Amino acid sequence: MIKNLSAFFLCFCLLSCTQNDDWGLPIHLGDSKTHVYSVLGSPSFEVKGNADIHWFQNSGLTLLYDPAGNVSSIVVPGHSNSSGFLTYKEPVIFDLKVTDTIKRFEPLLGAPISKEDSILDDSLGTFVWRKTPYLIKADFWSKDYSERGTIFKEGTIVSIEISKGYGGN
């Protein structure tokens, strides 16, 4: 009886820890490359180096892998990207989408732990939140920006990056 109860408790903990209603992506942090390929297919572009980076342009995702080959970070480009990515229009995390503006993030995530202006591009800003168990970084246009004949309004999301974070609320 105790053995069966222990097995049940272990299964319950594993399922409850890995299934999160706040998560909207088809891939999770910690997933293996094998699992990623079974869900997304082959990457459209790969960068090898200190960290493997795979672009899945048809899914609207960029994945970074740790040395063991597991997903360590997920980048979701916004609709202002010029790299040929489809825009992932479903909720990414905590019901936030890359099609939202930065104004929607703070009411859902709280005050950011970091706010920075880009030193390379004065029209780009970055906010970072730590919301257990995630670190969420959002790059956004800090002023109206024009690219390929399209004007992206101030606050438009450029990308959302999610990795594991510790602490926070």
Side-chain angles (χ1 to χ4, degrees):
M1 174 72 173
I2 300 245
K3 193 175 197 181
N4 289 340
L5 189 57
S6 296
F8 173 79
F9 182 74
L10 178 62
C11 287
F12 175 79
C13 286
L14 288 172
L15 287 172
S16 63
C17 291
T18 58
Q19 293 179 350
N20 189 333
D21 291 337
D22 298 325
W23 192 262
L25 297 171
I27 298 300
H28 293 80
L29 297 171
D31 283 351
S32 69
K33 286 182 185 178
T34 304
H35 177 73
V36 168
Y37 296 164
S38 73
V39 174
L40 301 179
S42 297
S44 50
F45 185 77
E46 295 180 47
V47 177
K48 300 283 186 188
N50 291 339
D52 283 348
I53 302 170
H54 291 177
W55 288 12
F56 294 89
Q57 291 170 299
N58 292 336
S59 298
L61 302 173
T62 297
L63 305 180
L64 288 77
Y65 297 92
D66 63 22
N70 298 315
V71 176
S72 62
S73 186
I74 300 173
V75 179
V76 186
H79 60 278
S80 67
N81 80 79
S82 58
S83 300
F85 280 82
L86 292 178
T87 301
Y88 189 85
K89 295 186 179 181
E90 300 301 317
V92 173
I93 190 167
F94 300 115
D95 201 35
L96 293 166
K97 302 177 181 182
V98 293
T99 55
D100 292 333
T101 65
I102 199 68
K103 290 179 182 176
R104 188 157 184 277
F105 281 56
E106 204 162 327
L108 292 170
L109 299 176
I113 60 170
S114 170
K115 296 180 182 183
E116 299 176 9
D117 293 323
S118 172
I119 58 172
L120 301 175
D121 187 340
D122 69 348
S123 60
L124 191 62
T126 301
F127 285 3
V128 178
W129 290 268
R130 187 178 298 130
K131 188 162 175 97
T132 303
Y134 308 110
L135 190 68
I136 302 165
K137 180 176 117 177
D139 292 327
F140 65 96
W141 296 120
S142 57
K143 60 184 178 184
D144 289 358
Y145 179 80
S146 178
E147 183 175 271
R148 298 180 320 269
T150 302
I151 296 175
F152 298 100
K153 293 290 190 184
E154 177 182 343
T156 299
I157 299 300
V158 175
S159 67
I160 299 171
E161 181 175 353
I162 305 164
S163 56
K164 289 188 179 182
Y166 303 95
N169 41 346

